[in-house]
């Protein structure tokens, strides 16, 4: 089993989809042109990531492509709509100067129709399939040693230029033996790099082990968080967290409540109060948290299954600081609080959870690693949740935070208002 680099124990990612963030895709009224050096706009937002509490910036695709970045034409070239190598070097240097890691998005399952080997009709480089029926996305032949060589060299090239790791796009559809052949060659040169596979379903732990990933995207937990809150069914969430506990014994999953491929959490949840509960869950359970740019500001956006259906969740950002309405200001403050809590309690990276009280609309759980523990109480009912701490194994506790919580109050019982939450620590 691969051991993840130690720095990941403190990693909290701020995820950005660069082409949308800087207005390079889809085309705006000011059509993006090569030489505009738009990638440097991200540097203006790095202090925002620091203020959020993030320790790294996870970039979407930045390599040459025709449209959305996932139709790569040249993995060795920065997309000219974003800039060039000097712009990448500047971004990495400015991120590292602030103590931020940089994660790249590697699309190695498929390429675009302008990819050189495809235009040269090098048939042995391709499987003859397309990715999920998209004619413009051509699947690579992962049994071809030249494809393995190419992928390993691309990864090493950008790690050598300062990147700290890779998100491996569509890893769920790539044969595991391909990753198992590729990643050890990259790790040999860059042992401190981190690799997270995009997995959506299946046996995450078995795939992570067979492929040699450090982590995988935790879509099971993402789904259980929003649907458990919407449906008033905390049993679904508890089941997902039991599976999450099992994953944590083998690897630390990448947790999220939003990313560039899904409807924003503020739009997905039926009640705005439940955004807070979703964040509380994500940031008090084990794993490596990721926050999608804009979610921390209360942005809304619905993904639709149509051409251009991702555009609403991949908007252009102006110059910081962002203007916030009251909801956005509250969401921003809550992100700062919860991420700050996590950074003060780094043991949460490996924490497992245990349900102490569970029914459809109430969920009280302990999150623990060794001797360190917190109590989390969630109430999505229309009536207050009344809880005596002795009934859940604690005589007293100190309220750390909550939707209507007196700060630092020592209590032996809790009353959690409708659609509210509390986090309680030791006295």
């Amino acid at each position: 089993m691969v051991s993840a680099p130690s720095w990941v124990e403190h990693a909290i990612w701020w995820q950005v989809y660069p082409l949308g963030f800087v207005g390079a895709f889809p085309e705006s009224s000011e059509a993006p042109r090569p030489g505009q050096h738009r990638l440097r706009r991200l540097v203006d937002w790095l202090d925002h990531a620091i203020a959020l509490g993030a320790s790294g910036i996870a970039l979407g695709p930045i390599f040459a492509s025709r449209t959305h970045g996932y139709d790569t034409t040249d993995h060795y070239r920065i997309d000219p709509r974003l800039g060039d190598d000097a712009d990448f070097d500047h971004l990495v240097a400015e991120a590292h100067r602030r103590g931020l890691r940089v994660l790249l998005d590697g699309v190695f399952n498929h390429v675009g129709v302008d990819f050189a080997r495809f235009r040269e009709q090098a048939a042995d480089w391709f499987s003859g399939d397309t990715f999920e029926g998209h004619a413009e996305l051509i699947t690579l032949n992962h049994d071809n040693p030249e494809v393995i060589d190419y992928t390993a060299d691309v990864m090493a090239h950008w790690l050598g230029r300062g990147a700290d790791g890779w998100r491996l796009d569509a890893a769920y559809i790539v044969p595991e033996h391909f990753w198992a052949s590729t990643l050890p060659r990259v790790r040999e040169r860059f042992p401190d790099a981190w690799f997270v596979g995009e997995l959506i379903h299946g046996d995450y732990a078995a795939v992570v082990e067979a492929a040699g990933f450090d982590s995988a995207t935790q879509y099971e937990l993402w789904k259980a968080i929003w649907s458990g809150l919407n449906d008033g069914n905390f049993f679904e969430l508890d089941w997902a967290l039991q599976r999450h506990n099992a994953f944590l014994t083998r690897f630390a999953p990448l947790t999220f409540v939003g990313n560039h491929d899904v409807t924003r959490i503020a739009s997905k949840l039926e009640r705005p109060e439940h955004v807070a509960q979703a964040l509380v869950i994500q940031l008090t359970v084990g794993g490596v948290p990721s926050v999608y740019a804009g979610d921390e500001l209360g942005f809304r956006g619905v993904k639709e299954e149509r051409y251009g259906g991702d555009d609403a969740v991949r908007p252009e950002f102006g110059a910081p600081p962002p203007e916030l309405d009251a909801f956005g200001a509250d969401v921003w403050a809550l992100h700062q609080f919860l991420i700050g809590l996590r950074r003060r309690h780094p043991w949460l990276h490996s924490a497992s959870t245990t349900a102490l009280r569970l029914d459809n609309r109430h969920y009280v759980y302990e999150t623990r690693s060794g001797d360190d523990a917190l109590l989390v109480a969630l109430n999505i009912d229309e009536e207050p949740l009344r809880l005596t701490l002795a009934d859940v194994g604690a005589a007293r506790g100190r309220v750390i935070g909550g939707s209507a919580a007196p700060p630092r109050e020592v209590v032996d019982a809790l009353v959690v208002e409708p659609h509210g939450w509390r986090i309680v620590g030791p006295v």
Side-chain angles (χ1 to χ4, degrees):
M1 192 70 183
V2 174
S3 296
S6 60
W7 60 262
V8 178
E9 295 176 9
H10 303 278
I12 298 171
W13 297 105
W14 185 57
Q15 189 212 346
V16 175
Y17 174 73
L19 287 167
F21 195 97
V22 303
F25 182 84
E27 291 188 3
S28 60
S29 56
E30 178 197 355
R33 301 180 302 277
Q36 288 187 314
H37 306 287
R38 289 177 176 235
L39 193 61
R40 292 180 181 244
R41 292 189 190 177
L42 289 177
V43 173
D44 297 337
W45 283 84
L46 294 180
D47 289 339
H48 170 85
I50 293 292
L52 174 67
S55 63
I57 176 171
L59 299 175
I62 58 171
F63 307 117
S65 71
R66 179 187 287 184
T67 59
H68 45 57
Y70 291 97
D71 53 342
T72 316
T73 61
D74 187 348
H75 291 87
Y76 291 101
R77 184 187 183 199
I78 298 297
D79 195 305
R81 295 171 294 174
L82 295 174
D84 54 28
D85 275 10
D87 299 317
F88 174 81
D89 292 343
H90 177 67
L91 174 60
V92 170
E94 288 298 311
H96 286 173
R97 186 171 68 84
R98 292 167 172 81
L100 293 168
R101 301 274 179 170
V102 178
L103 187 72
L104 299 181
D105 200 346
V107 188
F108 301 114
N109 175 67
H110 52 269
V111 295
V113 294
D114 291 332
F115 187 71
R117 293 292 194 284
F118 186 71
R119 298 185 71 175
E120 295 163 2
Q121 298 183 336
D124 58 339
W125 269 64
F126 306 97
S127 69
D129 298 323
T130 59
F131 174 60
E132 297 182 347
H134 299 285
E136 71 280 8
L137 302 178
I138 314 302
T139 302
L140 290 164
N141 175 10
H142 297 101
D143 293 321
N144 183 343
E146 291 184 13
V147 175
I148 295 173
D149 291 344
Y150 175 84
T151 303
D153 192 68
V154 168
M155 288 186 185
H157 173 81
W158 294 105
L159 290 169
R161 293 192 77 104
D164 296 285
W166 287 89
R167 170 194 178 269
L168 303 172
D169 182 69
Y172 55 88
I173 204 170
V174 178
E176 292 155 14
H177 67 78
F178 172 79
W179 302 119
S181 298
T182 304
L183 296 182
R185 295 169 54 176
V186 184
R187 289 185 198 277
E188 186 175 359
R189 294 180 58 187
F190 298 96
D192 210 32
W194 186 65
F195 301 91
V196 53
E198 184 194 17
L199 303 184
I200 297 177
H201 40 62
D203 187 342
Y204 291 175
V207 174
V208 166
E209 186 166 359
F213 301 147
D214 292 304
S215 182
T217 52
Q218 229 305 25
Y219 269 94
E220 281 188 9
L221 182 58
W222 163 78
K223 193 271 179 182
I225 289 173
W226 63 258
S227 65
L229 290 168
N230 278 348
D231 297 343
N233 180 14
F234 274 135
F235 289 97
E236 178 186 3
L237 175 60
D238 183 67
W239 176 252
L241 283 173
Q242 290 181 49
R243 284 180 53 82
H244 190 68
N245 288 341
F247 299 149
L248 284 161
T249 65
R250 301 170 73 177
F251 70 97
L254 182 74
T255 65
F256 59 95
V257 294
N259 65 31
H260 65 294
D261 280 330
V262 302
T263 291
R264 288 195 182 271
I265 192 67
S267 294
K268 196 72 173 176
L269 291 173
E270 294 169 1
R271 296 188 65 124
E273 311 100 297
H274 293 172
V275 171
Q277 306 223 6
L279 297 176
V280 168
I281 296 163
Q282 181 200 4
L283 291 166
T284 60
V285 303
V288 181
S290 178
V291 177
Y292 182 48
D295 282 358
E296 78 279 17
L297 306 172
F299 281 19
R300 294 173 174 83
V302 176
K303 175 185 171 71
E304 299 178 352
E305 297 301 326
R306 60 173 178 80
Y307 181 79
D310 294 315
D311 296 352
V313 298
R314 302 176 179 181
E316 181 175 1
F317 283 59
E323 293 185 10
L324 300 178
D325 59 16
F327 176 73
D330 287 344
V331 171
W332 167 249
L334 182 58
H335 272 85
Q336 288 184 304
F337 168 75
L338 291 170
I339 291 174
L341 175 72
R342 193 174 187 92
R343 296 192 70 149
R344 291 190 301 275
H345 298 81
W347 55 266
L348 283 167
H349 172 79
S350 58
S352 60
T353 59
T354 303
L356 303 177
R357 176 169 174 177
L358 172 63
D359 58 51
N360 282 333
R361 308 187 70 83
H362 306 111
Y363 192 35
V364 180
Y365 61 90
E366 179 187 69
T367 183
R368 173 179 289 276
S369 179
D371 293 333
D372 296 304
L374 296 173
L375 181 78
V376 179
L378 307 174
N379 178 20
I380 58 171
D381 198 27
E382 300 300 331
E383 299 296 328
L385 165 63
R386 303 181 188 278
L387 182 70
T388 301
L389 295 188
D391 292 341
V392 291
R396 294 190 305 161
R398 186 181 300 277
V399 176
I400 296 175
S403 46
R408 313 301 295 171
E409 181 182 33
V410 175
V411 298
D412 57 16
L414 292 176
V415 178
V416 183
E417 66 283 352
H419 305 283
W421 57 277
R422 294 287 187 280
I423 299 175
V424 179
V427 175

